[in-house]
Amino acid sequence: MSAIEAIGGATADGIRPDWIPAEEYRDPNVPTLERERLWPRVWQMACRESQLQRVGDFANYEILHDSILIVRTGTGPDDIVAFYNVCQHRGRKLVQEYSGNLGARISCRFHGWQYNIRGECVHVPFRADWNGCPGFETASLGLPAVQWGRWGGWIWINQDDKAEPLSRHLGVIPEMLDPFEPQNMRPLWWKTLNAPVNWKVVIEAFNESYHAIPTHNSRIVYSMSSPSKAYGRHGVFWFGPPEFPTRYRNEAGEWVIAQSGGEAIWAAHKVLDDMLFAMTLEPTMEATRRLRAEAPPEASAEFLMNRLWELQKDEFARRGLKWPQALTMDAVEKAGVSWHIFPNSIVLPTVDGALWYRFRPHKSDPDRCSVDIWSFGRFPEGQEPTVVNEIFDGFEAFRGQNPFLEEDLPNIQAANEGMKIRGWKGARTNPVQEVAVNNFHRHLSEFLSRR
Ligand code: FES
Ligand SMILES: [Fe+2]
């Protein structure tokens, strides 16, 4: 069976495992279809549950023209509500901020209607003026509810009352990622990049590692293939075995060849530590330093991986960090490297934490989107940093923020331009290493064709 047969045949829209027609990107109807048939019907990560600590705390999740408040209403774990952020009188958006505390009530600044933190209307000035008007009961004046769910430390929302439960949407994701205990991670930083490209172009650039060898080559020569696989709507890629010897730039900036497996492992992590500021954080960086110093040059790959695992556990213990109980070497291997959670989230979990992305289209311009990027780490209880969301408008403004991701940006910009050139007929997706990209389009196309 060929790679193509293994994945499946063509869809009605002509998407094959090795082919996405250019119309999927260029058809001017696509943004409207996405607006009507995808976003209001699909589960999306709205905020971290840890943003909702105290009664009245809220997060404002905005998607296209919609704005949804997620609010803690009590001290019980499920005392959370989600409702639309719009006054039922004349439609003033109620809360402009992205997070904060609502206090006891939400008061509309326009004419003074008031809502409690559960979204119920509790005060209408001159209410008697409506006497005898139809449908003016208190119950129908509340802020319309949006359904919510939780997984992975996130509160998820779905604007479709008839949507399947979150657990069914997530499919295999919790089984694969729960061993990392994402719910216990906390952000080390959170940057939002407002990018001048279509949301699909940017998500796809992060949904495969086929590009890594020619793109991420300033500090290390990557050599491995990155096979990928679809799981229902979602997709994953992982790394095949690296080819040795590893070439990398040493601290003096010279290209050198790693003299041992320990040095090669250290060098690969050092690139992330120096340039990405995510995935490899202090505990693993220190563990690889120790591995490099102590492992004999002839040590086998198996010996090195087992020893690194012990050193990582030791670094966790030294720092008072709790090791996730179900996190085993097998669980890490089974999980792979990078998960695309349909439609707009990508997560790369590691022992130390995770790199997590969320992509949202701009409300009116298909050639703009916003990319939230979180680096998650693990912290002893009470020592989690307070993180402020930093927002950057455009690639220029993002310069200097993250050298690793900045290597991707010129490609993303040029692909967004190139896909519009008549001479491009479609994406010849790699049937081994770009399965997750292709699968995303299959399922997107399915959503867009549903009435
Ligand atoms: S629009 Fe809110 S009170 Fe009038
Ligand atoms: Fe990249």
Side-chain angles (χ1 to χ4, degrees), residues 186-297:
R186 293 291 177 272
L188 190 59
W189 50 261
W190 170 15
K191 296 176 197 285
T192 302
L193 169 58
N194 292 324
V197 294
N198 185 270
W199 71 282
K200 296 186 290 295
V201 177
V202 61
I203 198 170
E204 287 171 13
F206 293 116
N207 203 4
E208 43 88 2
S209 192
Y210 180 46
H211 72 276
I213 298 171
T215 298
H216 298 295
N217 57 9
S218 62
R219 283 275 304 268
I220 195 161
V221 180
Y222 288 115
S223 59
M224 63 280 183
S225 166
S226 313
S228 51
K229 188 174 168 182
Y231 284 88
R233 291 172 186 163
H234 316 296
V236 60
F237 71 75
W238 62 95
F239 296 142
E243 280 176 26
F244 294 111
T246 298
R247 286 188 70 223
Y248 72 98
R249 253 189 227 279
N250 67 13
E251 268 144 357
E254 299 147 351
W255 284 100
V256 294
I257 292 185
Q259 298 300 310
S260 67
E263 184 181 346
I265 291 171
W266 169 83
H269 284 84
K270 188 83 174 88
V271 170
L272 301 181
D273 183 47
D274 285 349
M275 294 178 70
L276 183 66
F277 318 126
M279 298 173 71
T280 295
L281 302 178
E282 267 176 38
T284 294
M285 197 62 243
E286 187 53 32
T288 64
R289 256 183 224 117
R290 290 168 65 190
L291 183 73
R292 177 187 179 177
E294 69 170 44

Side-chain angles (χ1 to χ4, degrees), residues 254-402:
E254 299 147 351
W255 284 100
V256 294
I257 292 185
Q259 298 300 310
S260 67
E263 184 181 346
I265 291 171
W266 169 83
H269 284 84
K270 188 83 174 88
V271 170
L272 301 181
D273 183 47
D274 285 349
M275 294 178 70
L276 183 66
F277 318 126
M279 298 173 71
T280 295
L281 302 178
E282 267 176 38
T284 294
M285 197 62 243
E286 187 53 32
T288 64
R289 256 183 224 117
R290 290 168 65 190
L291 183 73
R292 177 187 179 177
E294 69 170 44
E298 67 284 358
S300 68
E302 192 189 345
F303 172 87
L304 290 168
M305 294 325 288
N306 285 321
R307 183 61 187 144
L308 176 60
W309 194 255
E310 285 171 10
L311 291 170
Q312 285 173 305
K313 285 193 167 174
D314 186 55
E315 290 298 329
F316 265 54
R318 284 182 180 204
R319 290 171 167 77
L321 300 175
K322 197 175 141 275
W323 186 273
Q325 217 178 7
L327 192 62
T328 60
M329 289 181 81
D330 285 346
V332 171
E333 193 181 330
K334 184 176 165 199
V337 173
S338 174
W339 280 88
H340 172 226
I341 307 176
F342 184 88
N344 68 330
S345 173
I346 290 180
V347 51
L348 296 90
T350 62
V351 165
D352 287 355
L355 175 63
W356 214 312
Y357 304 93
R358 177 179 66 184
F359 307 83
R360 285 175 294 164
H362 184 267
K363 59 175 74 168
S364 55
D365 183 350
D367 272 329
R368 285 162 73 187
C369 68
S370 86
V371 185
D372 290 294
I373 313 163
W374 288 267
S375 174
F376 284 102
R378 305 180 193 278
F379 303 91
E381 186 125 11
Q383 291 180 37
E384 302 86 355
T386 306
V387 168
V388 183
N389 180 205
E390 300 169 88
I391 301 174
F392 303 89
D393 281 321
F395 291 161
E396 199 50 44
F398 195 71
R399 195 181 290 266
Q401 291 302 313
N402 193 298

